[in-house]
Amino acid sequence: MELENKIAIVTGGAQGIGAAIALDLAKNGAHIAIVDRVPANAICDEIAKLGRRAIALSADVASTREVQSAVNAIVKEFGRVDILVNNAGINRDAVIWKMTEEQWDAVLDVDLKGCFNFVRAVAPLFKEQASGKIVNIASINGLRGKFGQVNYSAAKAGVVGLTKAVARELAKFNVNCNCVAPGLIETEMVRQMPDDARQKSLDEILIGRFGQAEDIAWAVTFLCSERARHITGEVIKVDGGQYI
Ligand SMILES: NC(=O)c1ccc[n+]([C@@H]2O[C@H](COP(=O)([O-])OP(=O)(O)OC[C@H]3O[C@@H](n4cnc5c(N)ncnc54)[C@H](O)[C@@H]3O)[C@@H](O)[C@H]2O)c1
């Protein structure tokens, strides 16, 4: 198997896209550490059924201290880390003239600083072992800007910049760092959208259907595999053509 016995951290892996990523990495041979602020027992049980090890750690990705303790605990449990997937994210939408400082800070803290916290915590390990794969989950809205999402668009654009800078800094240590930028993916949030808003979004997607969490997971697994060894600093849109 392509990722046989690799150790992967997936943030925000308790549900949604993160859970699909954790499951697909495990299907391809990896053992998984899920870091989330909500319990991830259900997905850990599913991974265990595949014969892979899975642990869940509770941490707020925005907290530098909690992230460092989580990474220490993962290294203690598994002995190493090979893959980091920064997936945890939130949105707090409002047009800019109504956006509060709290809404801005909350999204930047989780979506951008959370990513920084984890990359910084694993970088010394990856340097030392001279290998590693980092995949950050951005968004097409970080590339095009979205009405009502100044905070989210800025944070995800920041994730793209961080990815490219980290790719430069860690390339000589045999570390690949890339982004996957999803379009609208059919998670619980999309299922609960009003019919007209749902249809408006669907009209943007060339392929004519919402993306599924697995579509993102497959791209992430590819980027973590040796088949993607010559790809770094890249942003792969997985959006059914929604961006163009
Ligand atoms: N769903 C979409 O259409 C879509 C589109 C583009 C990008 N994305 C991105 O994909 C990622 C996953 O999105 P999703 O739709 O699965 O969301 P989701 O809300 O279903 O899952 C997000 C997970 O992150 C966890 N999380 C949130 N804040 C956290 C924190 N501070 N510390 C630790 N864990 C935290 C949540 O508990 C949850 O398990 C996010 O980064 C999101 O911005 C999603």
Side-chain angles (χ1 to χ4, degrees):
M1 263 194 261
E2 204 140 23
L3 303 179
E4 190 75 41
N5 291 327
K6 299 286 184 197
I7 308 301
I9 299 176
V10 181
T11 72
Q15 65 180 52
I17 293 171
I21 292 169
L23 199 57
D24 198 60
L25 292 173
K27 279 181 185 161
N28 284 279
H31 304 295
I32 311 292
I34 291 176
V35 181
D36 206 306
R37 58 180 181 186
V38 300
N41 305 341
I43 185 70
C44 285
D45 289 349
E46 256 190 89
I47 292 168
K49 281 185 201 145
L50 298 169
R52 304 286 149 201
R53 290 171 65 199
I55 60 167
L57 293 101
S58 175
D60 177 356
V61 299
S63 160
T64 306
R65 188 182 49 79
E66 290 183 29
V67 168
Q68 190 59 60
S69 325
V71 170
N72 293 347
I74 292 162
V75 172
K76 199 165 172 213
E77 177 73 20
F78 290 110
R80 59 185 284 125
V81 177
D82 301 293
I83 292 166
L84 167 66
V85 183
N86 278 308
N87 162 82
I90 58 168
N91 56 293
R92 299 282 184 270
D93 298 355
V95 286
I96 187 139
W97 57 91
K98 289 186 180 164
M99 185 170 289
T100 64
E101 187 180 353
E102 287 72 24
Q103 287 173 314
W104 171 268
D105 285 345
V107 170
L108 269 289
D109 280 354
V110 175
D111 295 22
L112 182 55
K113 189 178 174 194
C115 203
F116 161 74
N117 280 337
F118 262 98
V119 175
R120 194 176 60 165
V122 303
L125 308 173
F126 285 4
K127 271 182 73 190
E128 179 71 23
Q129 71 200 25
S131 68
K133 307 280 184 191
I134 301 170
V135 181
N136 299 318
I137 305 302
S139 165
I140 59 165
N141 293 337
L143 305 175
R144 65 180 187 173
K146 174 95 193 287
F147 186 97
Q149 287 195 330
V150 163
N151 49 0
Y152 184 81
S153 302
K156 293 299 190 180
V159 169
V160 171
L162 179 150
T163 300
K164 293 182 179 184
V166 169
R168 285 185 190 278
E169 291 183 2
L170 294 183
K172 61 176 170 292
F173 303 105
N174 189 31
V175 175
N176 303 65
C177 183
N178 292 291
C179 270
V180 172
L184 203 58
I185 301 300
E186 193 167 19
T187 56
E188 209 39 48
M189 181 192 78
V190 174
R191 283 181 213 112
Q192 285 171 12
M193 278 164 81
D195 283 350
D196 55 335
R198 241 178 98 90
Q199 191 54 50
K200 209 172 154 200
S201 300
L202 195 52
D203 289 345
E204 283 187 349
I205 303 173
L206 299 186
I207 283 179
R209 59 174 182 268
F210 290 114
Q212 301 298 312
E214 291 73 23
D215 293 312
I216 307 307
W218 293 333
V220 171
T221 296
F222 166 66
L223 287 171
C224 293
S225 76
E226 276 314 288
R227 284 179 297 163
R229 66 187 181 189
H230 211 52
I231 302 174
T232 199
E234 190 53 83
V235 182
I236 299 186
K237 294 190 280 294
V238 179
D239 67 346
Q242 189 178 0
Y243 175 88
I244 61 169

